[in-house]
């Protein structure tokens, strides 16, 4: 269940390690947000492992165990195809987006896999229109720790804003 | 059946004063005011959505068991679609017969009865009032009048029909059967998506659209835009102007289907692509599974975009199956509910394939985004600028279904619209 509370860690984690991991996830999220907020969509797939999975899921579908995603990418190829489509084939009004990511929590660390979650808010600004709330939701993540670098093995974005305003162009 | 005891059949006469509005004489012109005027919007609710139309309200697979229900809409009116203990499907207004509360506030669920939270009037799964608290008052004082009859205060119920697992409802009992409403050709198209096999629900998406609801019907009756707006389709070979394509309408011109047969391989040799400035000839998907076609139907077409008047778009594209319900929310806005499904006997691999392919549609889809944005742009133009008439001049009304660079189906919809609306 994507919406269930995170289970306690399989093995107890040292507090100092937990803090270091949380800081690493926070840094990662800052970089992720900055890249998307600059509109550099073609750099987005690089935040994932080669087999990385990305899903954008309406909360009511998650609650009802319905598997449909608003966006879903399985692996680098699909992530790159999504980025290419946004950069080259989709028609949409120019826009600014701004991510606010908060309440980062590391809930498990095992075998180089960091399980974490965070809340996010995305504001969207269109030309000659007031800024509006595009999404609020929760990231449920699994990172692979390689040396001191994190990469997303899995990012599930479960959004509360079920009634989407017009459309979502850039992945949250 | 509808219950008319306290809810008279919506009346078609006594419309508002529209003498300031004039439909242009040129049959290819469509006036701005049908998309922006509140009086027109209100009249549409009465004459179209509450008129002699069959409105899509649910898939039966959304309520598989007795007691299951979903929130839905008929026009702008919130309703509930529920399955009773005997398995029959009912549709009734989501509005308490007492003080008018919209009492059902969940997307979907399962229950034995509906209890309005305000004063706990209780309704069964067909919308009939079964109990009222303090009916005799307290200690014999107060309570309902002696002649109060429960069965005179049921929820407003709707006429319901089901075909191959799809639920339609109407405010009217004096309406033709759903099969006659569609006509033989559209029924045949309907049955290519719903062939009677049990369905599997994959999920539901919702979005608001800052546009008039009719623009969405137009969009799917407009083959002209398909290869021009949707660069994804042409770039990756799903739909190209040279493909075998047809657009047909029913006898009344209100429903339509746009069919397309996708070529084998890539569309490099298509001469019509030179007209399309956005064509990217060299592109290949890094992961072509998203557009892979798994043969599953005995149909000459790889996509069927069916519009059923007034509130349903059915889409079969490659292996994507979906119903899009249009919910008007005032002249300048509507909600779109995208219900996505497969067949109950799909195996795991087919489930995953359909889910993957659904990246194409929906309010975050490779081509779903194009249409939602384009419709917003149209409404922006109508709301911000000087009123005028739009034109839908392409093609001729007498041409056959194989002529696809045409606005024929848009014009036929508005001929029917003017009749229903008395405009
Ligand atoms: S308004 Fe529903 S019981 Fe009073
Ligand atoms: Fe379109």
């Amino acid at each position: 269940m994507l919406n269930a509370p995170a289970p306690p860690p399989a093995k107890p984690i040292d507090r100092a390690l937990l803090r270091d991991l949380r800081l690493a996830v926070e840094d990662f999220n800052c970089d992720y947000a900055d890249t998307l907020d600059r509109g550099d969509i073609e750099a987005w797939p690089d935040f994932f492992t080669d087999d990385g999975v990305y899903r954008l899921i309406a909360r009511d579908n998650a609650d009802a165990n319905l598997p449909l995603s608003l966006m879903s990418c399985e692996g680098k190829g699909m992530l790159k195809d999504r980025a290419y489509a946004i950069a080259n084939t989709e028609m949409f009004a120019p826009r600014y987006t701004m991510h606010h990511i908060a309440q980062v929590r590391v809930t498990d660390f095992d075998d180089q896999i960091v399980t974490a979650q965070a809340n996010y808010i995305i504001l969207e600004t269109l030309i000659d229109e007031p800024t509006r709330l595009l999404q609020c939701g929760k990231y449920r993540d699994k990172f692979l720790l390689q040396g001191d670098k994190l990469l997303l093995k899995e990012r599930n974005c479960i959004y509360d804003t079920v009634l989407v305003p017009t459309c979502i162009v850039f992945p949250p | 059946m509808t219950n008319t005891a306290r809810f008279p059949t919506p009346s078609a006469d006594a419309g508002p004063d529209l003498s300031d509005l004039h439909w242009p004489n040129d049959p290819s012109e469509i006036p701005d005011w049908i998309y922006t005027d509140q009086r027109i919007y209100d009249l549409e609710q009465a004459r179209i959505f509450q008129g002699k139309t069959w409105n899509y309200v649910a898939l039966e697979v959304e309520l598989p068991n007795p007691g299951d229900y979903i929130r839905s809409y008929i026009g702008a009116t919130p309703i509930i679609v529920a399955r009773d203990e005997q398995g029959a499907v009912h549709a009734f207004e989501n509005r308490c017969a007492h003080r008018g509360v919209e009492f059902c506030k969940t997307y979907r669920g399962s229950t034995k009865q509906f209890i309005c939270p305000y004063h706990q009037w209780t309704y069964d799964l067909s919308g009939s009032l079964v109990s009222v608290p303090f009916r005799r008052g307290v200690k014999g004082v107060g309570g309902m009048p002696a002649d109060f009859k429960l069965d005179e205060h049921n929820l407003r119920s709707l006429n319901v029909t089901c075909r191959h697992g799809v639920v339609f409802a109407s405010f009217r009992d004096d309406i033709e059967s759903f099969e006659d409403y569609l006509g033989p050709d559209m029924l045949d198209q309907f049955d290519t998506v719903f062939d009677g096999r049990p369905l599997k629900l994959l999920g539901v998406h919702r979005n608001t659209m800052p546009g008039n609801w009719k623009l969405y019907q137009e969009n799917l009756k407009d083959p002209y835009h398909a290869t021009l707006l949707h660069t994804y389709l042409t770039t990756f070979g799903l739909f190209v102007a040279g493909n075998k394509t047809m657009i047909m309408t029913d006898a009344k011109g209100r429903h339509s289907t746009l069919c397309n047969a996708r070529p084998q391989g890539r569309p490099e040799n298509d001469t019509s692509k030179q007209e399309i400035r956005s064509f990217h000839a060299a592109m290949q998907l890094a992961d072509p599974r998203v557009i892979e076609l798994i043969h599953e139907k005995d149909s000459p077409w790889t996509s069927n975009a069916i519009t059923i008047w007034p509130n349903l778009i059915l889409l079969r594209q490659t292996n994507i199956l979906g119903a899009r319900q249009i919910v008007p929310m005032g002249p300048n806005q509507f909600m779109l509910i995208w219900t996505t499904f497969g067949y109950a006997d799909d195996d795991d691999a087919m489930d995953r394939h359909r889910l993957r392919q659904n990246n194409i549609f929906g309010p975050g889809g490779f081509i779903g985004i194009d249409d939602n944005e384009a419709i917003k742009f149209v409404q922006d133009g109508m709301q911000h600028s000087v009123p005028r008439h739009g034109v839908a001049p392409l093609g001729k009304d007498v041409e056959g279904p194989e002529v696809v660079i045409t606005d024929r189906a848009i014009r036929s919809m508005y001929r029917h619209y003017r009749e229903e609306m008395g405009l």
Side-chain angles (χ1 to χ4, degrees):
Chain A
M1 264 286 276
L2 283 163
N3 234 353
K11 294 176 254 171
I13 309 168
D14 175 67
R15 280 183 71 82
L17 176 61
L18 202 59
R19 190 187 57 221
D20 288 350
L21 289 171
R22 195 186 69 229
L23 282 175
V25 172
E26 281 181 356
D27 283 348
F28 180 97
N29 283 341
C30 287
D31 198 15
Y32 181 96
D34 189 56
T35 301
L36 285 170
D37 292 349
R38 279 187 287 105
D40 187 6
I41 186 62
E42 282 172 300
W44 173 68
D46 297 336
F47 287 99
F48 292 81
T49 60
D50 284 346
D51 63 351
V53 170
Y54 177 82
R55 291 195 208 97
L56 175 59
I57 302 165
R59 185 164 169 181
D60 70 309
N61 284 330
D63 286 344
N65 275 322
L66 293 168
L68 184 67
S69 304
L70 198 88
M71 297 182 185
S72 77
C73 302
E74 296 161 28
K76 231 7 172 316
M78 283 180 76
L79 288 156
K80 284 190 168 155
D81 289 339
R82 171 63 73 168
Y84 179 87
I86 296 167
N88 298 287
T89 73
E90 287 170 18
M91 194 290 288
F92 53 87
R95 62 201 58 213
Y96 303 138
T97 57
M98 184 170 283
H99 286 66
H100 294 263
I101 304 173
Q103 275 113 319
V104 172
R105 198 148 69 94
V106 171
T107 58
D108 202 0
F109 179 55
D110 190 24
D111 199 17
Q112 301 312 105
I113 301 291
V114 182
T115 306
Q117 61 184 55
N119 291 357
Y120 70 88
I121 281 178
I122 303 170
L123 301 174
E124 182 177 73
T125 310
L126 296 156
I127 288 177
D128 288 342
E129 292 186 26
T131 299
R132 67 174 177 195
L133 176 69
L134 178 68
Q135 281 234 311
C136 65
K138 204 177 265 295
Y139 293 137
R140 305 292 294 255
D141 298 328
K142 286 204 187 299
F143 294 91
L144 176 67
L145 182 65
Q146 271 184 328
D148 59 355
K149 194 175 156 56
L150 290 174
L151 284 174
L152 280 167
K153 253 187 102 58
E154 196 175 315
R155 169 155 279 183
N156 295 295
C157 319
I158 298 137
Y159 62 93
D160 287 3
T161 31
V162 167
L163 186 56
V164 169
T166 314
C167 58
I168 298 173
V169 177
F170 295 97
Chain B
M1 293 291 276
T2 62
N3 51 344
T4 47
R6 294 174 55 252
F7 312 106
T9 300
S11 140
D13 34 68
D17 180 9
L18 301 173
S19 54
D20 55 320
L21 304 175
H22 305 284
W23 201 288
N25 291 326
D26 182 337
S28 73
E29 291 190 351
I30 302 165
D32 271 5
W33 45 260
I34 62 165
Y35 306 100
T36 55
D37 194 292
Q38 184 70 42
R39 292 167 296 172
I40 294 293
Y41 174 82
D42 294 341
L43 197 63
E44 287 168 351
Q45 293 302 313
R47 296 212 177 146
I48 296 172
F49 296 103
Q50 295 166 25
K52 291 188 186 179
T53 53
W54 282 116
N55 293 261
Y56 168 86
V57 294
L59 295 177
E60 285 199 66
V61 69
E62 295 179 272
L63 12 135
N65 302 308
D68 291 351
Y69 67 89
I70 64 164
R71 261 178 81 90
S72 185
Y73 294 87
I74 176 164
T77 308
I79 63 164
I80 295 165
V81 186
R83 190 183 291 280
D84 70 17
E85 284 88 357
Q86 285 71 47
V89 176
H90 301 272
F92 40 86
E93 217 179 332
N94 184 359
R95 183 156 199 246
C96 182
H98 180 218
R99 304 296 305 140
V101 161
E102 187 184 309
F103 55 89
C104 175
K105 294 292 188 188
T106 47
Y107 293 116
R108 51 184 81 85
S110 193
T111 190
K112 288 190 160 45
Q113 52 196 13
F114 296 96
I115 304 174
C116 176
Y118 200 0
H119 315 92
Q120 297 186 16
W121 284 29
T122 300
Y123 305 92
D124 69 11
L125 292 160
S126 73
S128 297
L129 183 63
V130 290
S131 73
V132 170
F134 298 119
R135 191 165 171 190
R136 301 281 165 251
V138 175
K139 295 184 179 148
V141 183
M144 292 295 166
D147 61 353
F148 180 85
K149 293 196 180 62
L150 288 176
D151 62 5
E152 284 175 3
H153 297 270
N154 296 333
L155 299 173
R156 177 179 202 139
S157 63
L158 300 159
N159 189 4
V160 171
T161 189
C162 298
R163 183 177 174 88
H164 294 174
V166 193
V167 186
F168 291 85
S170 180
F171 272 90
R172 305 285 290 250
D173 291 329
D174 54 340
I175 179 173
E176 63 208 307
S177 70
F178 178 71
E179 287 69 20
D180 290 342
Y181 182 72
L182 280 198
D185 296 343
M186 290 302 134
L187 194 63
D188 191 48
Q189 289 293 327
F190 180 90
D191 289 349
T192 63
V193 180
F194 299 104
D195 55 10
R197 267 191 287 167
L199 305 179
K200 182 188 288 182
L201 181 65
L202 297 178
V204 181
H205 287 136
R206 292 164 192 259
N207 67 270
T208 51
M209 290 272 268
N212 183 274
W213 66 274
K214 297 185 290 302
L215 293 172
Y216 208 71
Q217 284 279 355
E218 286 183 30
N219 179 265
L220 277 294
K221 293 174 189 279
D222 173 7
Y224 186 36
H225 89 282
T227 60
L228 296 167
L229 174 66
H230 298 309
T231 311
Y232 186 91
L233 290 182
T234 50
T235 300
F236 300 114
L238 284 158
F239 190 145
V240 180
N243 289 10
K244 187 161 170 265
T245 308
M246 74 167 190
I247 180 154
M248 57 182 194
T249 63
D250 71 318
K252 289 196 165 170
R254 55 189 171 177
H255 320 300
S256 69
T257 302
L258 172 60
C259 300
N260 184 263
R262 174 176 157 184
Q264 299 297 324
R266 298 213 1 108
E268 257 81 20
N269 302 323
D270 179 0
T271 51
S272 61
K273 75 174 186 291
Q274 287 143 13
E275 295 271 334
I276 304 167
R277 292 200 307 166
S278 45
F279 187 75
H280 301 265
M283 256 326 281
Q284 295 282 357
L285 288 169
D287 190 339
R289 287 179 301 174
V290 172
I291 60 167
E292 184 193 342
L293 173 64
I294 297 179
H295 279 283
E296 59 171 335
K297 290 269 180 189
D298 201 17
S299 165
W301 307 106
T302 53
S303 84
N304 309 61
I306 307 167
T307 70
I308 296 176
W309 182 255
N311 79 332
L312 176 63
I313 310 297
L314 277 181
L315 232 130
R316 165 178 168 256
Q317 163 62 263
T318 312
N319 301 107
I320 304 172
L321 299 169
R324 306 178 193 170
Q325 182 181 2
I326 300 169
V327 182
M329 299 170 81
N332 301 307
Q333 180 158 274
F334 64 97
M335 171 165 56
L336 209 50
I337 303 176
W338 311 65
T339 305
T340 303
F341 53 91
Y343 296 109
D345 58 5
D346 288 347
D347 60 12
D348 258 20
M350 194 62 176
D351 283 350
R352 281 201 304 277
H353 175 64
R354 291 196 209 277
L355 291 167
R356 211 180 284 128
Q357 205 150 68
N358 265 291
N359 275 295
I360 294 173
F361 288 137
F366 297 133
I367 75 169
I369 287 170
D370 300 337
D371 286 318
N372 286 17
E373 286 287 287
I375 284 167
K376 177 178 186 297
F377 290 8
V378 179
Q379 198 76 16
D380 284 347
M382 286 185 294
Q383 279 186 272
H384 300 163
S385 204
V386 182
R388 46 154 253 209
H389 306 316
V391 289
L394 280 83
K396 299 189 181 67
D397 291 337
V398 292
E399 284 164 343
E402 62 298 334
V403 177
V404 289
I405 303 298
T406 182
D407 291 322
R408 189 179 71 246
I410 296 177
R411 288 191 297 272
S412 77
M413 176 178 87
Y414 282 116
R415 272 197 301 278
H416 177 74
Y417 173 82
R418 291 181 68 179
E419 244 170 68
E420 267 187 28
M421 290 283 286
L423 289 170

